[in-house]
Amino acid sequence: VTVLVLAEEHDPTVDRIVTELARRDVPVFRCNLGCFPQRMSLGAQLRDGRWCGLLRTEHRDVELVDIRSVLYRRPTSFTFPESLSGPERRHATWEAKLGVGGILGGIDALWVNHPTATADCAYKPVQLATAERCGFAVPPTLITSVSDDVHAFAAEHGQIVVKTLAFGAIFEDGGSKILYTHALTADDLADLAGVETTTHLFQKFINDKAFEARVTVVGGDRMFAAAIHAGSDDARVDFRADYGALSYRVIEVPRQVAEQIRMFMKELRINYGAFDFVVDHDQRWWWLEVNSGGQYGWIEGATGLPITAAMADLLEKGQL
Amino acid sequence: MTSISTASEEQYLEVSARFPQCVGALAVSTSTEAASTHGARPFALRFGQPRLPAAGVAELPAWRYCDERQIAVGADGQPYLAKGEMTTTGPSPDGQGSTGNEEWTPDFAGDMSA
């Protein structure tokens, strides 16, 4: 039995897990989908309702039926020869997407996480609605392309922030800019030009923040929680804005929050998630978001929480 | 001018477009196009901050993929992780250099290479 790892070749988070699995003598087949078809091949036949065949690289191969669990962490897309024309490349990509993707996606194994579940989870509106149904306290949220909606929302809730729904950066003009969560000022609200261009997510800012909490959950039951204390104004709005000003401590997840997390993961069919919360001075946990493919090495390094070992346990066991 | 999304960027296609989900780093990490005018530019982009190397942030060290160990290693062949680079490198808290990390890309990105 083998653990299939689908990830980029440079992914320190995955390196940790692969190293731990190797230490345990657990067979691992790691590849990036970007290696298909030039450095990786796949051939399979349908037998009794299952796809049987070999996934193969120059260095190793694996029988699809021997795969016990799959770690899927942001593999890149297929890479075809430069000699292909644009239309040929599109054709080849779609054939591979539905061919390779269909066969691998149908592997009957424990997935961390299955790409379909990850795709669902990536939609913040889906996350937010699911979170509220699971009983989490969710900050009042507005998603709109209408400026008047923003004015009304700010009038009702006071300090609000704008955050992105998808990419946290934009690459333009030969450079790049980071899009942190931004607390809107009166000047910002006086000129909302551009809101109409696309959807924007606005949320009430939790002013009474004691700290933020990152809960890394492996398999639904193993929860590793750390308080993140911000030591600067920038970090208080978005901790990513100033990593140097952060301090961490290990905390316990309240029983009710733990139960809500389990319910959320079951609802969205994920077996791993990095959950972010704001905890206020009344110890109320406010939902921010979950990243179903979140990195955790930095928080493991800062706290000593044994997340890699838990991931290896889950993948080695191949069941919840 | 109306821009037309390619089929692969549509996330609610009847056929699954969800495997794989991510694009190669270069597909989204470079553009020489300039920002549009005030009013046309999406509001949230007004608050973008130029990505600058922060104090104490390490340069991404040289690496290569070791097919035998199935992990990244440094120029000396030692595991990349052993070098203690599991720290913030600017774009990534885990020491990853591409856009395939949790900070700047969503878990699901339409496959723009198709």
Side-chain angles (χ1 to χ4, degrees), chain B residues 2-98:
Chain B
T2 302
S3 63
I4 301 171
S5 298
T6 63
S8 60
E9 292 170 329
E10 298 297 333
Q11 295 174 6
Y12 284 109
L13 289 174
E14 291 181 13
V15 293
S16 172
R18 294 176 167 185
F19 203 126
Q21 298 166 326
C22 285
V23 296
L26 290 176
V28 293
S29 62
T30 57
S31 173
T32 55
E33 283 191 79
S36 61
T37 56
H38 182 78
R41 186 169 171 82
F43 175 74
L45 296 183
R46 201 183 293 177
F47 312 109
Q49 297 180 22
R51 183 188 294 204
L52 298 172
V57 168
E59 289 290 322
L60 198 64
W63 68 278
R64 65 176 173 83
Y65 184 69
C66 174
D67 285 301
E68 185 181 342
R69 282 181 281 186
Q70 302 187 91
I71 56 173
V73 296
D76 58 0
Q78 294 302 305
Y80 182 86
L81 288 175
K83 301 175 181 308
E85 279 94 5
M86 186 63 89
T87 53
T88 305
T89 57
S92 166
D94 271 11
Q96 191 172 20
S98 77

Side-chain angles (χ1 to χ4, degrees), chain A residues 6 8-13 15-16 18-19 28-31 33 59-60 72-78 89-90 93-94 97-98 100-101 104-105 111 114-116 118-120 122-123 162 164 166-180 182 184 188 191-198 200 202 214 240 243 274 290-299, chain B residues 6-13 15-25 28-36 38-52 60-61 63-73 79-81 85-88 90-114:
Chain A
L6 299 172
E8 282 189 275
E9 292 182 341
H10 188 245
D11 187 329
T13 312
D15 282 5
R16 282 200 164 196
V18 169
T19 301
V28 172
F29 183 100
R30 176 176 179 172
C31 60
L33 294 174
H59 302 276
R60 55 182 55 79
Y72 183 97
R73 219 188 96 79
R74 305 173 184 202
T76 57
S77 188
F78 314 112
R89 187 179 305 279
R90 279 188 288 278
T93 300
W94 272 103
K97 182 187 289 288
L98 301 188
V100 174
L104 296 185
W111 282 78
H114 195 285
T116 301
T118 299
D120 287 343
Y123 288 87
V162 62
T164 59
F167 286 89
I170 183 168
F171 302 86
E172 62 182 3
D173 207 12
S176 61
K177 296 187 180 77
I178 308 300
L179 303 167
Y180 298 116
H182 174 77
L184 266 63
D188 297 332
D191 176 12
L192 291 173
V195 165
E196 301 84 358
T197 303
T198 186
H200 287 70
F202 299 92
R214 163 60 65 98
R240 299 171 305 173
Y243 279 105
V290 63
N291 187 332
S292 64
Q295 295 175 332
Y296 65 80
W298 56 291
I299 206 105
Chain B
T6 63
S8 60
E9 292 170 329
E10 298 297 333
Q11 295 174 6
Y12 284 109
L13 289 174
V15 293
S16 172
R18 294 176 167 185
F19 203 126
Q21 298 166 326
C22 285
V23 296
V28 293
S29 62
T30 57
S31 173
T32 55
E33 283 191 79
S36 61
H38 182 78
R41 186 169 171 82
F43 175 74
L45 296 183
R46 201 183 293 177
F47 312 109
Q49 297 180 22
R51 183 188 294 204
L52 298 172
L60 198 64
W63 68 278
R64 65 176 173 83
Y65 184 69
C66 174
D67 285 301
E68 185 181 342
R69 282 181 281 186
Q70 302 187 91
I71 56 173
V73 296
Y80 182 86
L81 288 175
E85 279 94 5
M86 186 63 89
T87 53
T88 305
S92 166
D94 271 11
Q96 191 172 20
S98 77
T99 58
N101 56 69
E102 83 160 5
E103 299 303 292
W104 319 122
T105 57
D107 294 325
F108 173 68
D111 183 358
M112 286 179 272
S113 69

Side-chain angles (χ1 to χ4, degrees), chain A residues 4 6 31 33 40 42 51 55 64 67 70 78 99-108 111 114, chain B residues 19:
Chain A
L4 174 63
L6 299 172
C31 60
L33 294 174
M40 180 179 82
L42 173 65
W51 287 100
L55 191 58
L64 296 177
I67 294 170
V70 185
F78 314 112
V100 174
I103 289 172
L104 296 185
I107 291 174
D108 184 18
W111 282 78
H114 195 285
Chain B
F19 203 126

Side-chain angles (χ1 to χ4, degrees), chain A residues 276-295:
Chain A
D276 287 324
F277 298 92
V278 165
V279 181
D280 67 20
H281 287 98
D282 292 328
Q283 293 302 302
R284 189 171 195 192
W285 286 50
W286 292 90
W287 169 277
L288 289 182
E289 66 176 347
V290 63
N291 187 332
S292 64
Q295 295 175 332

Side-chain angles (χ1 to χ4, degrees), chain A residues 39-118:
Chain A
R39 292 192 290 137
M40 180 179 82
S41 65
L42 173 65
Q45 289 191 43
L46 184 62
R47 292 189 188 125
D48 300 324
R50 297 182 72 182
W51 287 100
C52 304
L54 275 182
L55 191 58
R56 180 180 288 166
T57 68
E58 183 184 341
H59 302 276
R60 55 182 55 79
D61 53 48
V62 62
E63 291 273 0
L64 296 177
V65 294
D66 287 342
I67 294 170
R68 175 187 290 176
S69 54
V70 185
L71 175 62
Y72 183 97
R73 219 188 96 79
R74 305 173 184 202
T76 57
S77 188
F78 314 112
T79 309
F80 295 98
E82 292 295 324
S83 56
L84 292 188
S85 68
E88 289 167 345
R89 187 179 305 279
R90 279 188 288 278
H91 166 84
T93 300
W94 272 103
E95 291 299 301
K97 182 187 289 288
L98 301 188
V100 174
I103 289 172
L104 296 185
I107 291 174
D108 184 18
L110 175 85
W111 282 78
V112 185
N113 286 310
H114 195 285
T116 301
T118 299

Side-chain angles (χ1 to χ4, degrees), chain A residues 136-263:
Chain A
F136 286 109
V138 178
T141 304
L142 169 71
I143 296 175
T144 188
S145 61
V146 180
S147 299
D148 287 347
D149 291 350
V150 184
H151 287 298
F153 189 70
E156 181 181 0
H157 296 293
Q159 180 65 67
I160 63 173
V161 295
V162 62
K163 52 177 72 174
T164 59
L165 286 145
F167 286 89
I170 183 168
F171 302 86
E172 62 182 3
D173 207 12
S176 61
K177 296 187 180 77
I178 308 300
L179 303 167
Y180 298 116
T181 298
H182 174 77
L184 266 63
T185 65
D187 286 344
D188 297 332
L189 287 165
D191 176 12
L192 291 173
V195 165
E196 301 84 358
T197 303
T198 186
T199 49
H200 287 70
L201 189 155
F202 299 92
Q203 207 162 48
K204 175 181 171 65
F205 183 65
I206 306 300
N207 279 310
D208 189 29
K209 180 192 297 188
F211 56 87
E212 292 197 30
R214 163 60 65 98
V215 184
T216 308
V217 187
V218 180
D221 277 329
R222 301 186 70 177
M223 299 189 184
F224 304 94
I228 302 175
H229 292 272
S232 70
D233 289 341
D234 285 344
R236 266 186 281 278
V237 177
D238 188 331
F239 74 69
R240 299 171 305 173
D242 193 356
Y243 279 105
L246 304 181
S247 59
Y248 310 91
R249 66 184 167 86
V250 175
I251 57 174
E252 290 293 317
V253 182
R255 183 177 300 177
Q256 183 182 12
V257 173
E259 186 53 41
Q260 289 163 339
I261 287 174
R262 279 190 282 272
M263 194 184 309

